[in-house]
Amino acid sequence: MRAFREAVEAGDADAMETLLAEDVVFTSPVVFKPYAGKAITAAILRGVVRVFEDFRYVREINDPNGRDHALVFTARVGDREITGCDFLRVNEEGLIDDFMVMVRPLSGAQALAEAMGAQFDRIEKEARLRSA
């Protein structure tokens, strides 16, 4: 999904948000319950932009019919190097309606959980403002 990849690589959170469906479901690598809705997903993505350092996509995998995409990335959270993958599914309008992230190694996932946890009050406030 070139448009999303370009938005992420540019750190353009507004462009990322425009590519999300209203009913998008975001599945975090570090939280058990998925998050539903564009406002909370966009706020989480803004938090990720603040947390990840040296982020770059290293591979893109697409299915033949164009609805499923996987974007493999590397990044750093504090002193932890992580490798991860954004699994994206788009709806008929071409908007992301399913967004699942996986990361490794465990120490990187733990660092990400801690860093995002520190951001979560801000994330919830941003989501409330965007959904109002």
Side-chain angles (χ1 to χ4, degrees), residues 75-127:
R76 192 169 42 80
V77 178
D79 66 348
R80 299 291 179 195
E81 298 288 329
I82 65 170
T83 301
C85 190
D86 293 336
F87 293 98
L88 310 172
R89 181 168 179 89
V90 297
N91 61 19
E92 293 78 23
E93 290 81 38
L95 298 174
I96 299 165
D97 64 0
D98 188 46
F99 192 135
M100 179 174 61
V101 181
M102 293 187 167
V103 298
R104 64 162 308 280
L106 177 58
S107 63
Q110 291 167 329
L112 178 60
E114 184 178 319
M116 289 300 290
Q119 293 275 320
F120 220 77
D121 285 343
R122 181 175 176 181
I123 288 168
E124 287 179 320
K125 286 178 188 174
E126 288 177 5

Side-chain angles (χ1 to χ4, degrees), residues 14 17 38-40 42-43 46 125-132:
D14 292 334
E17 185 174 357
K38 184 175 184 172
I40 188 67
R46 283 179 166 74
K125 286 178 188 174
E126 288 177 5
R128 280 194 300 273
L129 288 173
R130 293 201 171 274
S131 63

Side-chain angles (χ1 to χ4, degrees), residues 54-89:
D54 303 325
F55 180 93
R56 66 186 179 96
Y57 282 119
V58 295
R59 188 175 341 149
E60 185 171 343
I61 305 163
N62 299 300
D63 84 0
N65 75 15
R67 292 203 54 196
D68 292 294
H69 309 274
L71 300 170
V72 180
F73 64 84
T74 62
R76 192 169 42 80
V77 178
D79 66 348
R80 299 291 179 195
E81 298 288 329
I82 65 170
T83 301
C85 190
D86 293 336
F87 293 98
L88 310 172
R89 181 168 179 89

